[in-house]
Structure formats: C-alpha cells, structure tokens
Amino acid sequence: MKAKKWLSALLAAAMCVTLLAGCGGGGDTKKEEGGDSGDGGSSASSGAQELVAADTADVTTMDPIQTSMLTDQRASAPVYEALMRREMDENGELILVPGAAESYEVSDDELVYTFHLQPEGKFSNGDPVTAEDVVYSFQRAFDPNLASPQSWQLEDMILNARDCFEGNKELSELGVKAIDDMTVEITLATPNPNFLTVSTFPFARIVSKKFVEECGDKFGSSADMVMGSGPFKVVSWEPGFGSVYEPNEYYWDKENVHITKLTRKVVTEVSALAQSMMNKEIDIALMNDTDWNDMVDQTGYYDVKETPEMSTYFFIFNCENPMFSNWKVRLAISLAFDRDRYVEEAYGNKYIPAYSFEPQIATVGDSLWVDVAGDSKDYLKTLAEKYPDPKALLLEGMQEAGLGDDPSALEIKYTTLGTTEAVKKAAEWMKQELEANLGIKLNIELTETNVAYDQIDASQYELAFGGWGVDSGTEPWRLLRLFGKEEYYGEAKVHWTGEKADRYTELVTEMQQIFDPDRLLELYKEAEPLVLEEAPVTPVYCSKQRALVAKNVSGYQAHPFLLPDYIGVEKTAE
Amino acid sequence: MGKYILKRFIYAVIALAIIASVSFFLICMKPGDPIVAKVQQLPDSSRQVLIAKYGLDQPMTTRFVEYMKGLIFEGNLGDSIVYEGRTVNMLLKTSAVVSAKIGLIAIAIQVVIGVLLGIIQALNREKLGDQIIRVLVVLAICIPTFVFCALLQYFVAFKWKLAPIMGWGQPIHYVLPVAAYSIPGIATYSKYMRTSTVGVMGEDYIQTAIAKGCSQRRLVFRHILRNAILPIVTMVPVAVGNVFGGSMVIERFFSIPGMGQHYVKAVSDSDPYLILGMAIFFALMYIISLFFVDILYGLVDPRIRITKNAR
C-alpha cells in the first residue's frame, strides 16, 4: 500500500512537471526568436513595414559559397552583397547596378576589371568593407578545401581560378588583387562579357575576413554566425522554422531599404502554405501546386507572376543498351507521346511542354530564341510531321538493330527521378501512353533522386529522367552543351557516339568560346536538330516560376534569375 | 531491488550498442551518394573534397570504429552533410526541445482527460454516455493523425480563425499541434482506464468499502483510482520516451521545427549521420523509458522482481 501511495505521488508530480515544462517553454521560445509574427490568424504582417515571405524547403546554410539550393540562396541574398547587383528595369530587362562596388573600369583588352568599392560600404557590425575582404571572399570561393558547389561557374573566367580550385596553385595567385583599401582588380583568363553577371552570383558575394575567421567552420550555420554587408542582417534563424531579418543600419544605400522586419517562414506542407496565403498571413511566396493555385488566386490578394525558368527536363536513353542503339527506336519513343497532354494531365500544367531544349526565356544576342530560331524552334513538332507514325519508325529501328519485329518484346526499365506521388503519377501516365501508342512494355522503377543519379553515373539504367537548371544566363548553349562528349550528360553516361555525336560536340564546344550572336544562332540551328533527331536525350518539359506577391507590396521584382534582397520593397496601405 | 536495477541497466546498454551498430551499417549500406543528394551539379574535384571531409572514402569498418569512438568518448553523433557546419548534436539540441514541449503538454492532457473519461465511462457503464464515448474512442484511435491535423487546420484556423494555421514561437502556436497530438492518446488512455476501472470495481474490497458507507468521492479517488491507474502508470514513461521522436506528420502540417521534421528531411536528403544520430537518440530515449517501466513494474508488482531475482 505504501508503494502505491508513493507511486500516486510520483505520477501526480510527473504530470505537474510535464505541464509546467510545456507551459514554461512557450515563453523561452518567444524570447529566443525575437517574437514571431503569427498572431492568431488575420494578418501575419500587422506592422506597417513588416514583410512575411515563405519557402517550401528548409534553409541548410547561409555561407554564400556553400549555398547550392535555391532556398539557401534566397535566404542569404538579403544578407550578402556582390560587387554588382542585378535588377529589372522598367521593361523587365535585367540590368547591372552598383553593389558593393561604386563603379568599375574595364581595360582595353577586356581582361582587367578594376572595381572601386563604395566609400560608405559597411558590414552589419559597422566594419568597413575593404578590398582585402573582397579578395578573401573570392579566395574562399576557389579554396579546394571548402569545395564550393557553385564556384565552377567562374573558374574558367578568372585568371588561375581553375588551378586554385583544383589545388594546383596557391590562392594568392588567383586573379583577384587588392590595389589599395578601396580598389580591387580582377583579371580574367580570356575576355568574357558574362563575367559581370556571374560575379553577382551568391558564391561571389562579399564576406568579412575577420568575422569568417572568427567563426571558423561554423560560419553560416546559425544566426550569430552570419554577417554580411547586404541590406539586412539575420536576427534569428531556427532550422525547420525560418529566419527573421532586420535592416543593416550601416548599409550604404539604406534610404532604399523600407522593410523594418522581414520574416522568412519554412512551410513544407503545401496545404498549410496555401491556407496561410488564403488567410493573408504571407506576403510573398513561390507556390505552384495545381490543387491549390486556383483557390489562392481567387482571394484576389496576390499578384501572380509566372515566368519561364532556364531549366529543361528530359528523357535519357542509355545508347549503350542494344534496345537504344538505333536512333529510330529512341526517336519513336520521343515522338510517341503528346507533351501538351502529359504536362496538363500528369502535372496540371505546372510545367511548360518542351519541343526543343531551349526554354521560352532563352535568348540569342538581344532577341528571344523563339523569335529568331525559325525551323529549329519546337523542332520536335517538325520531326513529328516528318515521321507521322512513331510505331512504324520503331519497327524499322528494331529491325535495323536486330531486335525482331515484335514491339511487345521491347521491355524497358524506366528509372524515375524521385519517388513522390507526382513522379509516380507522371510515370504511370507515360507508361500508359507509350504502351498504347507503341505496343512496348515500360516497367516503372521508382527511384530516389540520388540513387537515380548514381545509376546514370554508372550507366546502370535503360530509360531515365534528368534535368538541368541554369541561373547564370539565357543563352541556349548553357543547356545544349550538357550533351557534348565530355560534358555532364556526355558519352560516359549516355553513350551517344558516331559522326553526328562528334559533330554535335564540335558545335557545342565552339558555342562556349564565341560571343557573336549571328554565329551562335547558326551553331544552335545546326546543333538542335542534330540532337533532337538522334535523340540520345529528348526534352519533355521546362519549369516555370510562379511568384505570388501581395498586392499591397510594391517594388518586389519576381524573376527566376533574381534572388530577392528586398531593396526598394515597400508595403502600402491595403 | 538494486541488483534488479543494475541488471536492467546492463540490458539497456547492450540493446543500445546493438541498435547503434546495426543502424550504422544499415544506413551506410543504403544506396545513393549523399554528396550527390546534397548537390547534383558538383564538379568532381569538389565532390572528392567533400567525400574526404565526411570520411566517406574510408572503408566502412574504419568509419564505424571512428564513429563509435566519437560517440562513446565524446557523445558526438557526427556532422550533418546537408546542414553545412552543423553537428547532429546541435540539431538535436534545438529540435528535441521543441518536440518535447509539444509532446509533454500533449501527454499531460492525454493522461488527465483520458483517465477522467475512463472513470466516468466505467461509473456509467453501458449507459448512453458510455456508449457514445466508446464509439468516439474507437474513431479517435482508428483515424490517422493527419486527418485530425487537416480538420483542425481547416476549421479552427482557416474557417474560424481561432489559432494560426501554422507557425512556432508563441503560446497560441501550441494549440492545434497539441490538440492533434492529444486526441488519439486521450482515446487510448480512456479505453485502458475504463477496462481497468471496471475490473477494480468488481473487487471485493470495493464492495466492502461501499458496504461500509464510504462516500462516492472517497470511493473513486481513494479506492478505485489508485488501483485502476496502475496500467496507465506503466504506459506513460514509454509515451514520454517517444515524444522526442516528435510527430513527423504534426510537425510538417504545422511547420514546427521539431525532430520529426528534421528526420523526414534527413531521410529525403540522404544525410547519413543525421539519420543515424537521430535513430540512436530515439533508441536511447525509448530504452530509457523502458528502463523506467521495468523499474516501475518492479515497484508495482513485487512478483516480477522476485521471479527475476530467483532466476
């Protein structure tokens, strides 16, 4: 009986402790986070210039050279500034404007860029931004021990960058030098008109040498380990929840920073995001979910800005496999399904059907690719007219490859990129379509993304799915080059060989070395039909960005290439 | 009793060692390159640096020995690959507290309401109220948590605007997740409590107490509750051990930065040390709770203690 008495007391005590622990906790959290902006419903951003943005994935790092995922880059963008900034002009064109550098000069041979830093440029702790910080930031980007996942985009531009990145040269030999406290000189390996644009990317943004050295390898991993010279500073950051920013009071252009508090929430569940938006709790978000888009749009609270992105998704045929050794078999599969219907029925028009590798945003010189491409635009449609009966083409190809004349004997393993419900649904749509139209057998193998990449790397696939996104520029070669022999989806993975493959490689190699739009157009017009007809890979769809911005928010520039730094963004009365 | 506790402790340590070792090899043998999972467009040279940084170029046995050394001597659960610059310990420290706050409040509510409901049902056995509650209890146990989450989010937050749809940091943010967490637990505890109370009420000593003219209040709290609650006592530590695992569904629905959400991300990003660290932590919490259950059992029922000692 005594033991039972003791037990009852213990249980009662435990219950009290749990209650107290839980209730007490709420207060602590609030203090830690500097107060969240959720207030029970009506409007999260009740303060005049308080803005709430949402992201659907968690932020993993805010070290600018380590940010490879878009969410990380978007979260870091308000904190760090590059030498130059990109913004949209009135016509929607991207232009370069001063960032950490007030001005720059280019030498006559276009090899040396001299940047003059902003005299008032300061980090958020009040320390001035010096040339030494800029040199240090670029050296970090090419430090082989730090393995920045994005710096390769500049490694062929800046003198010695590749050698430094591969550990063959000292970082002091990098073509970025401090001339004096306020002047930096960047020497290029060869003249390159894209340099200034690429130098605005996250990995080229400026960090404080003193601060990074103090933080060591913890730099960028928590709110107190993040500091830059951009318009905002991070005041709190909790993984899985989000981060809160306040203006950098020392920012050189603080007159144009109007937001007094920026909250970035992580909302992984799309239903929660959509309902929060319908409740007007969020001011800015990227959301593209076919189940919810219409309902959110109907609130009339948001301006919806849809822009095509420079990213294309495609089927990859393992040409080493006897089934796909003949181009007619590959092309037959490529032509056997309706891309418009695929995107509509399997993805609810979340993407844009692709009939060539170039997204609608691609440009040649000052013109859009679609305006100047002529016959090469949507070349898959031209091919569909040329080969109106994919099944006949398939049989022809099978006979040439010695595969017999029974399409049902062609049993293809389709390795998906991911295992989500959406991927599964799309794969099943494709299976149904290809089996009905060609009589072949498609066996879906739902595969985790990284496992799928491993299988493609090791050529252990038959038919796979891949994609590539570019945020550095809109020139078609940025995507076309991928299928050159030595490139990412080159011979080692796709096994596309023969005269046409050789010619294609020559074309994409030349594209990457020249800047004359007329010549580039000629190269594109020759390369595009070559790869589409040979079909070692075939484009399926391109992605688009769907930004929702509350109508009472002005100055926000939604563009797939712009990472929001919230300069010039303002809230007006509803 | 001391010997009994020592024996339980040794068993717990052995169980944990086995779980840690098996988990390590299972997770390391999982196909898929964790570096590729982190970033796909990585040049080979950078990839090699990262592979060396996280020791992925070492043979599995070497990695195992190194990991275990760190774990045993420093309590180090390894570095997260996806969360650059963060150790698993750092992530656990923040997220376990969040999960625990929600879980512990929910358990307290579950126990209090569940026990009361159970007693009320037993005292009104087979009456209309009891019948209704029994149906509701079955429903609450059968319906998956995400359905409660969706319903609460839609009605309470979106329609009636009584709480925020999601978020974290203020007391109001606890309302919906705690409610979603509590409903199935309340049902479970009330079901056990009803059965156990009905059993106790049939005992002779209760009849004696009634015959003695014992008041209803005294009868319930002094004689029935104290005896009937014993099965619940042994259930609570296990539930407490489990709260650190968080609830993946609830945390995802309400955007709560707890362990459940990190665990899902770790698995989807193939972050091996984060998965492993969390698996070991969950196991540790579970084993500790079972250890307490064993001790409680021993205290509650001397026969267990004696039988085990006799062996």
Side-chain angles (χ1 to χ4, degrees):
Chain A
M1 205 59 195
K2 206 176 169 187
K4 283 177 186 167
K5 221 178 205 173
W6 185 82
L7 264 181
S8 306
L10 187 75
L11 183 71
M15 275 163 55
C16 290
V17 169
T18 48
L19 269 173
L20 287 173
C23 296
D28 290 349
T29 315
K30 188 181 166 191
K31 203 170 80 193
E32 277 161 25
E33 289 168 8
D36 181 28
S37 47
D39 64 357
S42 60
S43 174
S45 47
S46 48
Q49 291 299 334
E50 293 184 7
L51 199 73
V52 181
D55 251 311
T56 48
D58 198 9
V59 176
T60 59
T61 177
M62 284 207 218
D63 177 349
I65 65 156
Q66 297 298 351
T67 56
S68 59
M69 280 177 278
L70 186 64
T71 327
D72 296 348
Q73 295 178 346
R74 290 174 68 85
S76 310
V79 181
Y80 303 99
E81 192 168 49
L83 290 168
M84 303 294 288
R85 275 182 71 232
R86 276 203 295 181
E87 62 176 40
M88 258 195 294
D89 65 9
E90 312 82 64
N91 306 320
E93 304 286 329
L94 291 180
I95 52 166
L96 286 162
V97 294
E102 180 187 38
S103 61
Y104 69 93
E105 293 130 27
V106 191
S107 65
D108 292 341
D109 59 3
E110 294 180 27
L111 281 176
V112 182
Y113 286 69
T114 309
F115 292 93
H116 303 283
L117 301 184
Q118 296 280 358
E120 294 301 315
K122 285 191 175 116
F123 291 103
S124 56
N125 65 352
D127 288 351
V129 178
T130 64
E132 194 190 359
D133 292 314
V134 179
V135 174
Y136 177 72
S137 306
F138 276 89
Q139 288 182 347
R140 282 187 88 234
F142 298 107
D143 184 342
N145 297 317
L146 297 177
S148 162
Q150 294 290 309
S151 303
W152 57 270
Q153 297 181 73
L154 261 182
E155 71 179 5
D156 287 330
M157 293 190 189
I158 297 177
L159 186 70
N160 295 337
R162 183 185 279 268
D163 282 333
C164 291
F165 207 22
E166 287 173 358
N168 302 327
K169 278 192 174 154
E170 292 294 313
L171 285 169
S172 56
E173 293 177 72
L174 185 70
V176 183
K177 304 274 179 247
I179 303 300
D180 58 45
D181 264 5
M182 301 306 282
T183 317
V184 181
E185 190 182 270
I186 299 185
T187 310
L188 303 192
T190 52
N192 194 320
N194 296 318
F195 165 69
L196 281 176
T197 299
V198 180
S199 71
T200 64
F201 287 6
F203 59 85
R205 297 198 175 193
I206 294 153
V207 295
S208 157
K209 184 180 179 193
K210 188 178 122 198
F211 184 77
V212 174
E213 286 178 347
E214 277 169 14
C215 295
D217 62 359
K218 296 280 174 270
F219 175 66
S221 65
S222 59
D224 54 343
M225 297 286 166
V226 175
M227 190 195 71
S229 62
F232 287 87
K233 61 183 177 188
V234 180
V235 291
S236 80
W237 170 22
E238 198 170 336
F241 172 68
S243 38
V244 178
Y245 305 70
E246 281 171 9
N248 167 8
E249 56 197 294
Y250 300 105
Y251 185 57
W252 64 272
D253 190 21
K254 60 184 173 199
E255 287 75 29
N256 284 315
V257 179
H258 311 296
I259 298 301
T260 53
K261 182 182 172 191
L262 167 68
T263 306
R264 291 181 54 85
K265 291 184 173 182
V266 176
V267 191
T268 45
E269 182 62 39
V270 71
S271 64
L273 175 64
Q275 290 181 77
S276 302
M277 297 189 81
M278 288 153 77
N279 255 5
K280 304 174 185 175
E281 289 179 31
I282 286 165
D283 299 308
I284 297 170
L286 299 180
M287 195 188 97
N288 192 359
D289 187 276
T290 45
D291 291 337
W292 292 96
N293 284 349
D294 286 348
M295 276 192 268
V296 176
D297 294 354
Q298 276 164 16
T299 60
Y301 187 68
Y302 298 97
D303 277 327
V304 182
K305 298 180 183 176
E306 278 193 10
T307 20
E309 290 177 313
M310 192 67 189
S311 62
T312 304
Y313 293 81
F314 38 83
F315 279 132
I316 311 162
F317 297 95
N318 184 351
C319 305
E320 197 181 37
N321 189 300
M323 276 192 297
F324 296 132
S325 59
N326 187 286
W327 66 272
K328 288 179 182 168
V329 176
R330 305 192 297 255
L331 183 61
I333 293 174
S334 161
L335 297 176
F337 63 96
D338 183 339
R339 285 162 173 75
D340 282 20
R341 266 186 43 242
Y342 176 61
V343 166
E344 189 190 334
E345 290 168 10
Y347 289 109
N349 287 326
K350 188 175 173 179
Y351 300 108
I352 304 165
Y355 291 91
S356 65
F357 278 104
E358 290 76 13
Q360 291 168 0
I361 196 174
T363 55
V364 184
D366 292 331
S367 314
L368 279 176
W369 158 258
V370 289
D371 294 338
V372 292
D375 285 349
S376 296
K377 176 195 151 200
D378 292 346
Y379 191 74
L380 274 174
K381 287 184 178 168
T382 313
L383 284 171
E385 284 167 19
K386 194 171 163 187
Y387 304 102
D389 186 355
K391 193 165 180 179
L393 186 67
L394 175 80
L395 289 171
E396 231 175 273
M398 284 179 70
Q399 277 162 0
E400 282 177 23
L403 296 168
D405 54 6
D406 177 15
S408 64
L410 210 62
E411 210 169 303
I412 300 165
K413 182 178 88 178
Y414 170 34
T415 306
T416 63
L417 196 63
T419 54
T420 61
E421 268 309 303
V423 168
K424 197 174 155 193
K425 184 179 165 193
E428 273 161 7
W429 188 98
M430 192 56 73
K431 176 183 166 74
Q432 213 172 356
E433 191 81 353
L434 292 183
E435 290 186 348
N437 295 346
L438 294 177
I440 57 171
K441 258 198 104 181
L442 195 73
N443 298 326
I444 300 167
E445 199 149 292
L446 284 175
T447 316
E448 292 288 349
T449 307
N450 58 332
V451 178
Y453 278 112
D454 273 2
Q455 291 183 2
I456 295 170
D457 270 352
S459 299
Q460 288 167 349
Y461 70 99
E462 293 174 7
L463 174 65
F465 200 70
W468 197 269
V470 174
D471 50 12
S472 44
T474 49
E475 297 85 355
W477 62 259
R478 293 178 192 276
L479 289 164
L480 290 176
R481 70 172 179 88
L482 285 175
F483 315 113
K485 282 194 156 180
E486 301 296 322
E487 301 282 353
Y488 193 85
Y489 287 108
E491 198 179 333
K493 289 174 187 159
V494 182
H495 306 281
W496 180 31
T497 51
E499 277 172 32
K500 288 186 175 170
D502 295 341
R503 177 64 190 148
Y504 184 82
T505 304
E506 280 169 29
L507 292 168
V508 293
T509 311
E510 192 183 339
M511 283 173 200
Q512 296 178 65
Q513 291 161 353
I514 61 164
F515 303 103
D516 171 29
D518 296 333
R519 177 65 187 145
L520 277 170
L521 185 61
E522 281 172 27
L523 295 172
Y524 298 151
K525 282 184 169 180
E526 189 185 342
E528 181 84 40
L530 209 62
V531 69
L532 290 181
E533 188 156 7
E534 278 275 299
V537 285
T538 188
V540 178
Y541 59 73
C542 301
S543 60
K544 61 183 174 187
Q545 190 189 73
R546 196 168 179 280
L548 286 94
V549 182
K551 286 181 173 157
N552 63 339
V553 173
S554 67
Y556 182 82
Q557 301 197 322
H559 188 285
F561 289 179
L562 288 182
L563 298 167
D565 54 17
Y566 301 94
I567 293 176
V569 176
E570 211 167 346
K571 279 188 102 169
T572 50
E574 264 182 76
Chain B
M1 189 68 190
K3 231 180 187 176
Y4 172 73
I5 292 174
L6 183 70
K7 212 169 169 183
R8 294 285 103 188
F9 180 74
I10 292 168
Y11 285 164
V13 171
I14 293 171
L16 192 64
I18 292 171
I19 290 170
S21 312
V22 172
S23 305
F24 182 91
F25 287 106
L26 281 179
I27 289 164
C28 289
M29 282 191 292
K30 182 179 178 286
D33 182 344
I35 306 292
V36 174
K38 183 186 175 185
V39 48
Q40 281 135 25
Q41 304 174 5
L42 191 67
D44 223 35
S45 52
S46 308
R47 198 169 151 264
Q48 294 310 326
V49 170
L50 288 178
I51 285 175
K53 180 180 168 186
Y54 295 107
L56 301 173
D57 52 345
Q58 303 290 322
M60 213 182 281
T61 42
T62 318
R63 282 162 63 192
F64 176 69
V65 172
E66 286 301 313
Y67 187 81
M68 283 300 158
K69 259 200 242 166
L71 181 63
I72 295 165
F73 297 112
E74 297 158 31
N76 180 5
L77 290 162
D79 291 334
S80 164
I81 292 182
V82 171
Y83 288 94
E84 185 76 31
R86 286 176 199 241
T87 60
V88 175
N89 296 49
M90 281 164 78
L91 285 164
L92 282 182
K93 216 168 115 185
T94 49
S95 58
V97 174
V98 172
S99 292
K101 279 176 185 168
I102 291 190
L104 292 178
I105 297 176
I107 288 176
I109 292 172
Q110 287 169 359
V111 174
V112 173
I113 300 182
V115 166
L116 285 177
L117 266 185
I119 294 173
I120 293 168
Q121 276 179 278
L123 294 176
N124 298 284
R125 195 157 35 129
E126 302 306 330
K127 288 183 186 162
L128 183 66
D130 177 40
Q131 308 271 22
I132 293 172
I133 294 174
R134 275 168 71 185
V135 173
L136 292 177
V137 160
V138 172
L139 281 177
I141 292 173
C142 297
I143 295 173
T145 313
F146 73 85
V147 176
F148 293 123
C149 289
L151 289 175
L152 285 168
Q153 203 166 48
Y154 182 72
F155 285 105
V156 181
F158 181 67
K159 278 269 175 205
W160 306 327
K161 302 201 186 328
L162 297 173
I165 286 168
M166 43 98 198
W168 184 244
Q170 292 179 2
I172 189 84
H173 290 129
Y174 285 78
V175 176
L176 294 189
V178 167
Y181 205 127
S182 302
I183 294 169
I186 290 175
T188 312
Y189 286 124
S190 74
K191 194 171 180 316
Y192 275 95
M193 195 61 197
R194 181 188 179 277
T195 314
S196 141
T197 310
V198 168
V200 170
M201 281 165 72
E203 296 289 339
D204 291 345
Y205 58 85
I206 299 292
Q207 300 304 321
T208 314
I210 295 170
K212 269 176 23 189
C214 181
S215 73
Q216 174 85 357
R217 188 193 163 109
R218 193 176 161 82
L219 183 73
V220 170
F221 287 98
R222 196 169 173 88
H223 299 287
I224 300 176
L225 179 62
R226 278 174 47 184
N227 289 292
I229 206 167
L230 289 177
I232 306 289
V233 171
T234 55
M235 284 165 75
V236 172
V238 180
V240 171
N242 277 335
V243 301
F244 291 95
S247 166
M248 294 161 203
V249 176
I250 292 171
E251 290 178 5
R252 197 182 151 90
F253 252 93
F254 298 105
S255 289
I256 296 162
M259 286 189 71
Q261 218 186 111
H262 282 325
Y263 197 60
V264 174
K265 184 160 174 60
V267 172
S268 65
D269 290 345
S270 284
D271 192 341
Y273 293 120
L274 189 53
I275 304 175
L276 183 61
M278 289 193 147
I280 292 173
F281 182 76
F282 294 158
L284 177 70
M285 289 300 138
Y286 197 69
I287 286 172
I288 290 175
S289 65
L290 287 182
F291 176 68
F292 279 107
V293 171
D294 275 348
I295 293 172
L296 281 177
Y297 264 130
L299 284 173
V300 173
D301 191 343
R303 284 170 304 176
I304 294 170
R305 213 160 67 217
I306 292 159
T307 322
K308 301 250 163 156
N309 285 343
R311 277 183 201 162

